[in-house]
Amino acid sequence: MMNETKMMEFILIGFSEFPDLQIPLFVFFSLTYLVTLTGNVLLMTIIRLHRHLHIPMYFFLSILSFSETCYTFALIPKMLVNLITEEKAISFTGCAVQMFFFIGFGATNCMLLTAMGYDRCVAICKPLHYKVLMNDRVCRQLVAFATGTGFTLSLIVTYFVFTLPFCGGKEINHFFCDMAPVIQAACTENNGIETVIFIFGIVVVFGSFLLILLSYLLIFHTILKIPSTEGKGKAFSTCASHLTVVVVHFGCASIVYLRPKSTYCLQEDTLISVTYTVVTPLLNPVVYSLRNKDVHLALRKCLGRKVCTWMR
């Protein structure tokens, strides 16, 4: 215990193995981040300004876009700074704060996607009761539950991780303060914290995915009863965007957080993490913008107004 000191900072070395790629990675991630922010802000603005989009599906989508924006803001700016500077340190407190917001918004996103799956299930399976079952109060309660549960679980996990003993200057083989890399920087091995992480993964990732899977089983069962091929295609098209985001989001999260400790490979996890920290937040506005006729119409109206104003 005499050698144990208070940790003042960690060193993030996630991309240090690729010194020649630091600038290209900085450019790529900067452009991706800019497009992500623009896409999410534009999507939120369109939903806010157009009354015909003031329905539960787009309400959840706007909240998801806001959550994704905050999620990326907690991670990517620090990553970009580290790519262009030799000093790749993050303070002990900064690391804890980053982990708290990363887990909180990540868990919230999982549960928001679950709420969106439930919304699609009610819309297709119970269309006559949709307005009653998915009224404004229910939608707000679902969002409040997702946010409250996500950040409560995040607080618990972050507390357990940062009460571990850390000794001296420690390197984290990642580009942000994720759970497994920080735990491996601790002085002790037999801490049982991996069990807490696994339970967290089961509750948030696997639990949310099971509820979404149940929703889609009910949706597919209802769609198969529709007599016309056109009707089946129309019903399924309302779920395609959500299903695409779900597959990517939960696929990456499952690979990282639902594995036993013995299979951890932090180098591989770093590459996978790029997908769900950089690519997935971009996927949300792109998929919903490209595949959604209502968003297309609203976007054309906005662009049309701007063109007319400019010509005047």
Side-chain angles (χ1 to χ4, degrees):
M1 294 295 292
M2 293 297 294
N3 292 328
E4 186 176 312
T5 59
K6 268 194 172 181
M7 283 291 300
M8 298 305 295
E9 64 180 20
F10 294 103
I11 307 298
L12 299 169
I13 59 171
F15 296 111
S16 298
E17 295 180 357
F18 314 104
D20 296 335
L21 294 178
Q22 299 289 297
I23 299 302
L25 286 173
F26 173 81
V27 173
F28 172 74
F29 290 142
S30 296
L31 292 175
T32 304
Y33 185 48
L34 181 61
V35 174
T36 299
L37 288 180
T38 303
N40 278 312
V41 170
L42 183 61
L43 196 56
M44 287 187 286
T45 304
I46 289 174
I47 293 171
R48 176 71 178 173
L49 294 178
H50 291 81
R51 295 185 62 84
H52 73 282
L53 298 181
H54 292 180
I55 59 177
M57 180 174 71
Y58 295 108
F59 170 72
F60 289 127
L61 180 57
S62 64
I63 299 297
L64 180 63
S65 293
F66 176 76
S67 181
E68 291 278 22
T69 301
C70 296
Y71 173 81
T72 56
F73 185 74
L75 303 177
I76 297 181
K78 179 61 177 176
M79 179 185 71
L80 294 176
V81 171
N82 287 346
L83 283 170
I84 58 173
T85 59
E86 294 184 5
E87 183 65 33
K88 304 182 186 300
I90 184 170
S91 68
F92 184 84
T93 302
C95 191
V97 170
Q98 187 183 64
M99 181 181 292
F100 171 73
F101 283 110
F102 160 69
I103 298 173
F105 284 115
T108 299
N109 292 345
C110 287
M111 285 178 275
L112 285 174
L113 288 170
T114 305
M116 293 172 75
Y118 173 69
D119 170 70
R120 292 299 83 208
C121 181
V122 174
I124 292 173
C125 300
K126 300 286 184 181
L128 298 179
H129 301 89
Y130 180 72
K131 290 186 177 181
V132 175
L133 294 175
M134 295 302 296
N135 58 56
D136 291 343
R137 183 175 62 86
V138 171
C139 292
R140 287 194 295 268
Q141 287 176 343
L142 288 172
V143 170
F145 175 80
T147 306
T149 304
F151 279 94
T152 300
L153 289 172
S154 175
L155 183 63
I156 294 170
V157 173
T158 305
Y159 171 79
F160 275 110
V161 171
F162 284 90
T163 52
L164 295 174
F166 295 94
C167 312
K170 286 292 182 178
E171 295 182 342
I172 296 179
N173 192 5
H174 215 313
F175 59 88
F176 70 96
C177 291
D178 202 357
M179 292 175 282
V182 174
I183 291 169
Q184 291 203 355
C187 297
T188 179
E189 293 184 4
N190 299 318
N191 49 62
I193 193 66
E194 290 86 2
T195 304
V196 175
I197 290 181
F198 190 73
I199 293 173
F200 168 81
I202 290 293
V203 171
V204 176
V205 180
F206 192 63
S208 298
F209 182 74
L210 279 181
L211 291 174
I212 293 174
L213 183 61
L214 177 61
S215 296
Y216 273 99
L217 287 175
L218 295 173
I219 288 171
F220 291 145
H221 179 70
T222 302
I223 289 177
L224 290 175
K225 292 182 179 180
I226 299 175
S228 67
T229 304
E230 183 181 352
K232 290 179 180 178
K234 186 176 180 180
F236 183 75
S237 66
T238 65
C239 307
S241 298
H242 176 254
L243 195 57
T244 301
V245 175
V246 164
V247 169
V248 175
H249 183 91
F250 283 94
C252 295
S254 299
I255 292 172
V256 174
Y257 297 111
L258 295 184
R259 296 176 304 170
K261 180 185 175 183
S262 59
T263 62
Y264 279 165
C265 176
L266 294 181
Q267 287 79 9
E268 292 180 4
D269 286 354
T270 299
L271 296 177
I272 296 170
S273 298
V274 169
T275 303
Y276 66 78
T277 57
V278 180
V279 179
T280 302
L282 172 64
L283 185 69
N284 177 45
V286 170
V287 168
Y288 276 97
S289 298
L290 291 177
R291 297 187 59 89
N292 196 292
K293 293 181 180 179
D294 293 330
V295 175
H296 281 175
L297 179 62
L299 184 59
R300 282 199 297 268
K301 286 182 178 179
C302 285
L303 292 176
R305 288 173 185 170
K306 287 183 179 180
V307 170
C308 290
T309 302
W310 178 77
M311 291 181 69
R312 288 174 186 173

